[in-house]
């Protein structure tokens, strides 16, 4: 497309606009100004064509900002123009401004000559130095950055004369000494603070050599200068440097024990006043030197492990309870000294592992004893197990009558006396679930007391298997209380429940739900020997004959079964027993024993 074609198209659009009308507006909207090589953006898209194309002249229309936005220019007319107090710059307008909005310009400092900041940052054209600014003739960009005016971080102290820090660092213009500053007299700040590095922390000892007078600063009154702690060893001490040998590591000071030997009398200092000494409960060591057990690198805990002096049959000299941490015999220790025939002279008679493993001790491993068990096994001397609080053990004082082994206390052999033999009815005196094993949860529900265990259980050695059910002792209970299907795990077969094809007596007989098994089953030894009990059922709702006697039922028994329609009747029969049919409500046969 040629320039002539574009200009003719634009001229046609302007002529159409001059003529007015919808067609003209459509023509302007359809014209793509980017085809001229100058796309319209931002606020330019809202301007009328003649704002730029003066007198309908297209050729030569300027494309630079200054031709339209400079006061007095031909194309300026009512446009926004550069003000009289505009920053002095030769850059094009669009270097800072955009067609979106003339205001909010973003000045690019790129390319500005160093040291030229004051040309604009003079308080008139742009922000300048505040009234409290440091007195300096340096250019703004010596400290400030065009990317972030504040805080200023680039102040070059290189040109500051030594000893003149306080000119600025006086607490007003810049940070000065606080009230807790160490007393440095007339020393200049830069003697400790490094002007070209970090102001804090200062390094006094790195700049000043001091080997005496430490307490002038190290008295707890000045920040960063540690004072002496309130300990006895520091009480009255005024010359820190007698122990604190290094100004670079104040807290690691200690008396130099390196020159001490095994011949050094530790107690000359470690006497409880000058330095830590033995406390009143220290084990009796006689004249032994502290260094036999204690180390100068770590005073506590001591390293005594009995190798410093072999101790045999003298344990109680220390292990009496008076010298912790040397454990003594506690109040619950077994009273071995009261046992006849037990010759124990010292701790290591039972504590065989010695100092390497003081507990547990093994009394029975060291001493053979077969009597007097209750002297220790009474519950007062754990871990010596005492007898449990059960009726079986009530009044028992001789443990060894049942407990035959000291190595397996719980393996007992209980001998039932003749008074407690099977047949005496005394089983539940002990076998109640607490004193000795009682009835399991699946046992049939029998009345405790009147019903005795040995009524059914016939052997103490085969308690569970040697069982014969004795119904004579449960006559006070209903059959259903056991024969419900819940108690089938005891004995050979358990208390069997009625089979699945049992007649539905609960729903088909009159008051059948209240009937017990023995209404029909007359013998506990022969369950299948029975005589049917209809419980005075009449039929027709007062019990139902057809519930069992109708064709199609398959309940156990040899009852006769027929359909209700086996004889024609009007109205049709609803049950076997009714008027005109079988007794008891009809006139045929004999009630409950003969149909016809």
């Amino acid at each position: 497309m040629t320039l002539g074609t574009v200009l003719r198209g634009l001229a046609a659009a302007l002529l159409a606009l001059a003529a007015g009308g919808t067609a003209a507006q459509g023509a302007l909207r359809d014209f793509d100004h980017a085809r001229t090589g100058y796309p319209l953006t931002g606020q330019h898209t809202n301007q009328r064509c003649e704002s730029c194309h003066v007198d309908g002249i297209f050729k030569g229309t300027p494309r630079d900002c200054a031709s339209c936005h400079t006061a007095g220019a031909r194309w300026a007319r009512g446009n926004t123009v550069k003000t009289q107090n505009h920053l002095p710059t030769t850059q094009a307008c669009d270097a800072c401004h955009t067609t979106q909005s003339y205001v909010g310009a973003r000045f690019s400092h790129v390319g500005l000559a160093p040291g030229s900041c004051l040309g604009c940052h003079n308080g008139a054209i742009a922000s300048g130095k505040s009234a409290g600014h440091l007195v300096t003739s340096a250019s703004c960009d010596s400290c400030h950055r065009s990317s972030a005016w504040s805080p200023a971080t680039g102040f070059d102290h290189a040109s500051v004369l030594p000893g003149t820090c306080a000119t600025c660092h006086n607490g007003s213009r810049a940070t000065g000494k606080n009230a807790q500053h160490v007393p440095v007299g007339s020393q200049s700040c830069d003697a400790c603070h490094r002007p070209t590095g970090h102001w804090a922390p200062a390094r006094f000892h790195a700049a000043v050599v001091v080997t005496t007078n430490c307490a002038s600063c190290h008295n707890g009154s000045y920040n960063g200068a540690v004072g002496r702690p309130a300990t006895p060893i520091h009480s009255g001490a005024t010359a820190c440097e007698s122990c604190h040998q290094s100004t670079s590591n104040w807290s690691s000071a200690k008396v130099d024990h390196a020159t001490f030997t095994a011949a050094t009398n530790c107690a000359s200092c470690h006497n409880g006043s000058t330095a830590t000494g033995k406390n009143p409960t220290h084990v009796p060591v006689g004249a032994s030197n502290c260094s036999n057990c204690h180390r100068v690198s770590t005073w506590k805990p001591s390293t005594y492990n009995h190798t410093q002096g072999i101790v045999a049959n003298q344990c109680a000299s220390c292990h009496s309870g008076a010298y912790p941490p040397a454990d003594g015999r506690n109040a619950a220790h077994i009273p071995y000294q009261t046992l006849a025939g037990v010759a124990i002279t010292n701790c290591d008679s039972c504590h065989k592992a010695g100092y390497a493993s003081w507990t547990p001790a093994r009394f029975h491993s060291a001493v053979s004893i077969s009597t007097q068990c209750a002297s220790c096994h009474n519950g007062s001397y754990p871990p010596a197990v005492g007898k449990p609080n059960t009726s079986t053990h009530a009044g028992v004082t001789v443990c060894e009558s049942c407990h035959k082994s000291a190595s397996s206390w719980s393996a007992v052999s209980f001998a039932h006396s003749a008074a407690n033999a099977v047949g005496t009815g005394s089983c539940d005196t002990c076998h109640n679930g607490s004193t000795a094993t009682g009835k399991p949860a699946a046992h049939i529900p029998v009345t405790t007391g009147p019903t005795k265990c040995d009524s059914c259980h016939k052997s103490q050695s085969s308690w569970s298997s040697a069982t014969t059910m004795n119904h004579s002792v449960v006559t006070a209970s209903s059959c259903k209380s056991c024969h419900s299907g819940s108690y089938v795990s005891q004995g050979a077969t358990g208390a069997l429940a009625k089979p699945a094809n049992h007649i539905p007596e609960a729903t088909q007989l009159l008051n059948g739900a209240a009937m017990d098994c023995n209404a029909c089953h007359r013998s506990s030894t022969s369950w299948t020997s029975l005589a049917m009990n209809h419980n005075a059922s009449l039929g027709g709702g007062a019990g139902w004959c057809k519930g069992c006697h109708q064709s199609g039922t398959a309940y156990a028994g040899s009852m006769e079964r027929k359909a209700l329609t086996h004889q024609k009747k009007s109205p049709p029969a609803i049950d076997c027993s009714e008027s005109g049919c079988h007794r008891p409500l009809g006139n045929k046969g004999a009630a409950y024993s003969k149909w016809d």
Side-chain angles (χ1 to χ4, degrees):
M1 181 180 291
T2 64
L3 178 60
T5 304
V6 173
L7 292 175
R8 285 195 295 272
L10 183 56
L14 288 172
L15 289 173
L17 179 60
T22 304
Q25 296 298 327
L28 288 176
R29 284 195 302 269
D30 293 340
F31 180 73
D32 183 6
H33 204 280
R35 291 159 55 193
T36 68
Y38 186 78
L40 299 181
T41 60
Q43 295 294 327
H44 288 160
T45 60
N46 299 323
Q47 303 302 314
R48 297 181 64 82
C49 302
E50 58 270 25
S51 297
C52 298
H53 299 289
V54 180
D55 299 328
I57 299 173
F58 302 102
K59 188 174 181 180
T61 300
R63 300 184 180 192
D64 62 291
C65 306
S67 298
C68 297
H69 294 283
T70 301
R74 176 186 174 190
W75 282 274
R77 293 187 288 179
N79 297 339
T80 300
V81 296
K82 187 164 66 172
T83 61
Q84 292 297 319
N85 63 342
H86 193 284
L87 295 176
T89 178
T90 58
Q91 294 187 35
C93 303
D94 54 3
C96 301
H97 300 276
T98 67
T99 60
Q100 301 296 329
S101 175
Y102 197 75
V103 297
R106 294 291 182 267
F107 183 75
S108 174
H109 292 76
V110 177
L112 290 183
S116 63
C117 306
L118 283 175
C120 297
H121 289 286
N122 50 26
I125 297 175
S127 301
K129 289 189 293 185
S130 63
H133 196 283
L134 297 176
V135 178
T136 178
S137 59
S139 175
C140 306
D141 54 359
S142 298
C143 302
H144 299 277
R145 297 292 175 264
S146 60
S147 58
W149 180 258
S150 62
T153 57
F155 186 76
D156 185 6
H157 289 78
S159 61
V160 177
L161 295 176
T164 62
C165 306
T167 305
C168 296
H169 289 284
N170 51 22
S172 175
R173 290 184 173 179
T175 305
K177 289 190 296 184
N178 56 42
Q180 287 77 41
H181 196 284
V182 294
V184 295
S186 59
Q187 284 281 0
S188 175
C189 308
D190 52 1
C192 301
H193 299 275
R194 293 292 174 261
T196 56
H198 294 287
W199 177 259
R203 290 291 181 263
F204 178 80
H205 289 289
V208 179
V209 177
V210 176
T211 58
T212 59
N213 302 312
C214 304
S216 299
C217 297
H218 289 285
N219 54 30
S221 299
Y222 304 108
N223 289 341
V226 179
R228 68 182 183 185
T231 60
I233 200 167
H234 288 82
S235 179
T238 57
C240 311
E241 54 271 19
S242 61
C243 294
H244 297 274
Q245 304 296 324
S246 171
T247 58
S248 61
N249 194 350
W250 176 261
S251 60
S252 65
K254 61 181 178 180
V255 176
D256 185 9
H257 291 76
T259 58
F260 295 175
T261 66
T264 302
N265 183 10
C266 305
S268 61
C269 291
H270 291 283
N271 51 24
S273 57
T274 305
T276 305
K278 290 189 296 184
N279 56 43
T281 58
H282 195 285
V283 294
V285 295
S288 295
N289 198 1
C290 307
S291 59
N292 286 349
C293 303
H294 298 277
R295 296 292 174 265
V296 295
S297 58
T298 306
W299 180 260
K300 294 177 65 177
S302 63
T303 58
Y304 186 71
N305 57 17
H306 295 80
T307 60
Q308 292 91 336
I310 303 301
V311 178
N313 295 320
Q314 301 179 54
C315 308
S317 299
C318 296
H319 291 284
S320 61
Y323 308 107
D327 299 331
R329 194 176 65 198
N330 57 42
H333 196 284
I334 60 171
Y336 63 88
Q337 67 276 14
T338 65
L339 302 179
V342 176
I344 295 178
T345 58
N346 216 288
C347 309
D348 49 11
S349 296
C350 297
H351 297 274
K352 292 297 186 182
Y355 55 82
S357 181
W358 180 257
T359 59
R362 290 290 182 265
F363 177 79
H364 289 289
S365 298
V367 178
S368 177
I369 189 168
S370 58
T371 59
Q372 310 173 76
C373 305
S375 298
C376 299
H377 291 284
N378 54 28
S380 299
Y381 308 105
V385 179
K387 66 181 182 181
N389 186 23
T390 62
S391 57
T392 300
H393 290 81
V396 176
T397 58
V398 184
C399 309
E400 54 269 23
S401 61
C402 294
H403 299 274
K404 302 299 184 181
S405 171
S407 62
S408 181
W409 178 258
S410 59
V412 300
S413 176
F414 185 76
H416 290 80
S417 65
N420 294 319
V422 171
T424 60
S426 60
C427 306
D428 54 0
T429 304
C430 297
H431 290 284
N432 50 25
S434 57
T435 305
T437 305
K439 291 184 297 182
H443 195 283
I444 61 173
V446 298
T447 305
T448 302
T451 306
K452 300 300 182 180
C453 307
D454 52 6
S455 297
C456 300
H457 297 276
K458 301 302 181 181
S459 172
Q460 291 174 343
S461 60
S462 301
W463 183 259
S464 299
S465 58
T467 305
T468 302
M469 181 61 201
N470 184 356
H471 285 83
S472 64
V473 298
V474 292
T475 54
S477 303
S478 66
C479 305
K480 288 182 178 179
S481 63
C482 296
H483 292 284
S484 61
S486 299
Y487 308 101
V488 297
S489 62
Q490 300 299 301
T493 59
L496 299 178
K498 63 183 180 181
N501 64 342
H502 193 280
I503 63 170
E505 83 284 353
T507 59
Q508 302 303 312
L509 295 182
L510 183 63
N511 298 322
M515 296 175 69
D516 199 5
C517 307
N518 58 8
C520 299
H521 299 275
R522 304 298 185 182
S523 171
S524 60
T525 59
S526 180
W527 184 255
T528 56
S529 299
L530 57 89
M532 180 62 198
N533 183 352
H534 288 79
N535 208 36
S537 298
L538 300 177
W544 292 94
C545 307
K546 65 182 180 181
C548 297
H549 293 284
Q550 188 171 7
S551 296
T553 61
Y555 299 111
S558 58
M559 74 284 287
E560 186 174 359
R561 300 176 176 85
K562 286 190 177 182
L564 290 177
T565 58
H566 73 97
Q567 293 288 338
K568 291 183 179 180
K569 185 177 181 298
S570 182
I574 63 171
D575 200 6
C576 307
S577 172
E578 62 178 41
S579 178
C581 292
H582 304 280
R583 295 183 189 279
L585 296 180
N587 53 8
K588 294 182 179 180
Y592 312 127
S593 62
K594 187 177 181 182
W595 284 106
D596 297 311

